[in-house]
């Protein structure tokens, strides 16, 4: 399988890219080089190799949730211009 100049022009048109003739030629060569390398990878012996989605184990790097002491409600609301039932009161934004 190889990429032709016509293929590059078609993809450029779909992507709405205006390419010069030199760019079309260069992209054709580059895409064919990528495909040639992909074909070479098919020669590798992958018998017994489990398919993976990541080369390294994926782990969650977030910390566990844990309850911690917080500021007292009275202190938090001390500077509020308006408060009601221990919450900030703000003007309505919807009618």
């Amino acid at each position: 399988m190889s990429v032709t100049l016509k293929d590059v022009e078609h993809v450029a048109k779909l992507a709405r890219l205006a390419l010069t003739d030199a760019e079309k030629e260069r992209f054709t060569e580059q895409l064919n080089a990528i495909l040639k390398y992909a074909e070479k990878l098919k020669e590798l012996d992958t018998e017994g190799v489990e398919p993976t989605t990541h080369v390294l184990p994926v782990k969650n790097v977030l910390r566990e949730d844990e309850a911690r002491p917080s500021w007292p409600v009275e202190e938090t609301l001390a500077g509020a211009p308006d408060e009601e039932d221990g919450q900030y009161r703000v003007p309505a934004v919807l009618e």
Side-chain angles (χ1 to χ4, degrees):
M1 179 173 168
S2 65
V3 176
T4 65
L5 189 61
K6 190 172 182 170
D7 294 330
V8 171
E9 289 170 343
H10 178 70
V11 171
K13 182 179 177 185
L14 292 174
R16 294 190 168 112
L17 297 174
L19 301 177
T20 65
D21 289 339
E23 289 172 325
K24 291 176 191 175
E25 198 64 44
R26 188 174 78 232
F27 291 143
T28 301
E29 290 172 12
Q30 290 175 346
L31 290 169
N32 280 314
I34 291 168
L35 291 176
K36 184 178 176 185
Y37 184 75
E39 285 295 319
K40 186 172 182 169
L41 290 175
K42 287 183 180 180
E43 297 172 12
L44 293 173
D45 179 21
T46 57
E47 190 67 34
V49 177
E50 290 292 321
T52 60
T53 56
H54 297 83
V55 294
L56 298 173
V58 178
K59 66 177 184 171
N60 190 350
V61 295
L62 302 176
R63 63 173 170 75
E64 292 293 324
D65 283 341
E66 58 184 52
R68 298 185 304 184
S70 185
W71 284 2
V73 175
E74 298 78 26
E75 272 188 56
T76 306
L77 295 173
D82 197 7
E83 102 29 61
E84 181 178 304
D85 297 328
Q87 299 177 13
Y88 290 97
R89 182 175 167 86
V90 296
V93 292
L94 302 174
E95 294 181 21

